[in-house]
């Protein structure tokens, strides 16, 4: 029971994520100003405000976990605008196609959803680890979840491991040179700056710890 | 006759180019713009759902050629194609042509009833069209110091 994630918890996760992105808009834009076109904060805020609005609307009902993630994906692809739109959109759309238990997912299923999402994102953007993109955050996080799962850890421990790995991956983007996206036009001048997409992706795993490993009061 | 979809981060570019290409083709070709975002038309960006709608609006069995500007336009266009059923997706092509010149050439060739790959080849060839005969010696860069 404690090892299952409910639709209510997923909803809380994305609301917390939206709040975090909205609060960090300026930081994300500042990071994108250094190595891109200074719009990652605005793009993400616009997309996540729409997501937040939909999630807070009591009328919105989701048939199951798949429908939930699909709705997040469709909102992001139409409202983000920059490269992050199709990339996060594909991440959630692919996650939605992975098996679940209707209104719940267990840890192995959730881990597979994230793996599906990551694979989709990489097919879309063709980025690999160390290309200085959001993949540098998401891939280590998913691998940490998989390792925790394989060694029989609890959901809470797996999520904490994912967050830690995500943070290290995000920070590692400071040291490397961009090979994908706009920042790649800068070549070696991209070194020394943290990647904006890697940063927005970190907040996904940061907010997951609180949102997914504690029960939702009114459920 | 194939249809054309013009994808740009800018709604103004996509709409304006649509008007220009339509006029060049004499109004006989189905051309749809997909610029900006559905709910924020004048925000710069691309939207896979908007591109999908544009494809459907010009759809024909002969296929659809998509001309795109750059960056996320390509990813959003690819994503739009994935939403289509296989038999439709197999008749859509994302061009490597430059957006403005490519759209005009593509409109002309589509209007002649040419096939998808031939229209695309002509559009991609638009990159090679020379606009002026340059005499480099006559134009000097500002010298430093
Ligand atoms: N091909 C790609 N694969 C994975 N992530 C990418 C790719 N291209 C860009 N990104 C991510 O997107 C972020 C930039 O997003 P954003 O500023 O919203 O888009 P844009 O580059 O269109 O302005 C980058 O910091 C990077 O993490
Ligand atoms: Mg940007």
């Amino acid at each position: 029971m404690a090892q299952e994630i409910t639709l209510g918890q997923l909803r809380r996760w994305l609301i917390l994520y939206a709040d975090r992105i909205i609060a960090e808009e300026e930081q994300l834009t500042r990071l994108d100003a250094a190595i891109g076109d200074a719009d990652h904060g605005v793009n993400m805020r616009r997309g996540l405000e729409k997501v937040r609005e939909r999630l807070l609307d009591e009328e919105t009902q989701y048939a199951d976990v798949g429908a939930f993630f699909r709705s997040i994906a469709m909102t992001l692809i139409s409202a983000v605008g920059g490269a992050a739109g199709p990339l996060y959109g594909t991440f959630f759309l692919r996650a939605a196609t992975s098996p679940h238990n209707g209104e719940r997912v267990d840890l192995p299923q959730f881990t597979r959803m994230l793996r599906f999402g990551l694979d989709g994102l990489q097919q879309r953007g063709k980025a690999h680890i160390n290309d200085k993109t959001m993949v540098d955050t998401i891939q280590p996080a998913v691998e940490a979840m998989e390792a925790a799962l394989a060694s029989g850890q609890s959901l809470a421990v797996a999520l904490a491991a994912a967050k830690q790995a995500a943070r290290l991956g995000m920070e590692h983007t400071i040291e490397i040179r961009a090979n994908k996206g706009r920042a790649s036009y800068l070549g070696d001048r991209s070194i020394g700056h943290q990647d904006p997409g890697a940063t927005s992706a970190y907040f996904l795993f940061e907010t997951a710890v609180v949102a997914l490993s504690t029960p939702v009061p009114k459920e | 006759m194939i249809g054309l979809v013009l994808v740009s981060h800018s709604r103004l570019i996509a709409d304006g180019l649509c008007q220009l290409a339509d006029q060049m083709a004499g109004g006989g070709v189905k051309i749809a713009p997909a610029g900006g975002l559905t709910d924020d038309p004048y925000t710069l960006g691309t939207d896979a759902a908007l591109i999908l709608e544009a494809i459907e609006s010009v759809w024909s069995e002969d296929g659809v050629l998509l001309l795109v500007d750059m960056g996320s336009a390509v990813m959003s266009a690819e994503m739009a194609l994935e939403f289509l059923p296989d038999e439709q997706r197999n008749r859509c092509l994302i061009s490597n042509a430059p957006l403005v010149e490519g759209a005009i050439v593509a409109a002309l060739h589509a209007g002649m009833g040419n096939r998808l790959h031939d229209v695309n080849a002509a559009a991609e060839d638009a990159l090679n069209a020379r606009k002026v005969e340059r005499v480099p010696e006559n134009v000097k860069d500002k010298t430093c110091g």
Side-chain angles (χ1 to χ4, degrees):
Chain A
M1 173 65 214
Q3 295 295 305
E4 275 198 321
I5 297 168
T6 64
L7 207 44
Q9 286 174 309
L10 293 174
R11 196 168 151 269
R12 180 172 63 180
W13 176 30
L14 268 299
I15 292 171
L16 277 179
Y17 180 59
D19 289 343
R20 195 83 171 94
I21 289 292
I22 294 163
E24 298 292 338
E25 174 184 348
E26 270 179 49
Q27 196 216 343
L28 295 174
T29 290
R30 196 168 42 72
L31 292 172
D32 200 27
I35 57 169
D37 56 353
D39 65 359
H40 190 60
V42 187
N43 290 347
M44 291 297 286
R45 198 247 308 130
R46 188 171 51 239
L48 272 305
E49 259 175 5
K50 286 257 160 65
V51 166
R52 193 173 185 283
E53 211 173 282
R54 288 206 67 170
L55 292 176
L56 290 178
D57 180 357
E58 299 289 329
E59 303 291 291
T60 325
Q61 296 288 330
Y62 303 97
D64 57 27
V65 171
F68 173 80
F69 281 128
R70 209 165 312 116
S71 151
I72 302 290
M74 296 315 290
T75 307
L76 292 178
I77 67 163
S78 284
V80 173
L87 289 165
Y88 280 114
T90 304
F91 178 82
F92 285 110
L93 204 59
R94 283 301 168 82
T97 65
S98 175
H100 50 78
N101 296 329
E103 295 186 6
R104 299 165 176 274
V105 274
D106 59 25
L107 177 57
Q109 287 172 332
F110 184 65
T111 305
R112 259 186 92 200
M113 285 191 144
L114 298 180
R115 168 57 69 181
F116 266 52
L118 171 62
D119 288 349
L121 193 159
Q122 289 194 273
Q123 280 162 20
R124 174 80 54 232
K126 315 277 186 301
H128 298 284
I129 198 90
N130 285 336
D131 280 346
K132 197 179 181 110
T133 69
M134 54 178 71
V135 171
D136 290 314
T137 299
I138 302 174
Q139 183 173 322
V142 173
E143 285 170 357
M145 290 275 294
E146 289 169 342
L149 176 66
S151 59
Q153 304 290 341
S154 68
L155 176 63
V157 170
L159 290 171
K163 172 184 164 181
Q164 176 65 9
R167 172 179 275 286
L168 294 175
M170 166 184 81
E171 288 170 353
H172 180 61
T173 63
I174 298 174
E175 287 147 41
I176 55 184
R177 175 178 183 279
N179 290 321
K180 278 282 179 295
R182 271 177 218 280
S184 63
Y185 304 149
L186 293 181
D188 283 344
R189 281 198 292 135
S190 64
I191 297 172
H193 303 279
Q194 186 167 301
D195 180 63
T199 310
S200 59
Y202 166 70
F203 297 133
L204 209 46
F205 294 95
E206 186 202 65
T207 51
V209 174
V210 195
L212 303 180
S213 57
T214 59
V216 176
K218 60 182 197 288
E219 262 191 323
Chain B
M1 188 184 295
I2 72 160
L4 301 179
V5 169
L6 311 182
V7 182
S8 172
H9 279 65
S10 157
R11 168 93 30 128
L12 293 171
I13 289 179
D15 290 356
L17 182 57
C18 198
Q19 183 190 13
L20 182 61
D22 186 58
Q23 194 201 51
M24 302 289 280
V29 182
K30 280 197 261 177
I31 311 174
L37 308 180
T38 307
D39 295 339
D40 299 87
Y42 297 104
T43 290
L44 300 181
T46 58
D47 173 347
L50 194 65
I51 300 170
L52 178 66
E53 267 178 46
I55 296 171
E56 282 165 345
S57 76
V58 299
W59 175 254
S60 97
E61 294 290 310
D62 294 325
V64 173
L65 185 65
L66 290 91
L67 291 114
V68 299
D69 55 10
M70 53 194 296
S72 71
V74 180
M75 284 196 276
S76 291
E78 286 170 347
M79 189 160 198
L81 295 193
E82 278 172 31
F83 289 129
L84 291 171
D86 288 351
E87 62 281 10
Q88 267 183 307
R89 182 169 54 243
N90 294 338
R91 292 186 194 174
C92 291
L93 192 61
I94 301 175
S95 181
N96 267 310
L99 179 61
V100 175
E101 285 82 352
I104 293 167
V105 172
L108 288 169
H109 285 252
M112 293 182 235
N114 292 345
R115 283 148 43 131
L116 181 62
H117 281 89
D118 297 332
V119 174
N120 179 49
E124 291 186 352
D125 200 42
L127 260 183
N128 300 320
R130 312 252 326 142
K131 293 175 188 174
V132 288
E133 283 314 318
R134 182 161 300 131
V135 190
E137 307 80 66
N138 292 351
V139 183
K140 305 256 186 297
D141 286 326
K142 183 169 180 259
T143 45
C144 300

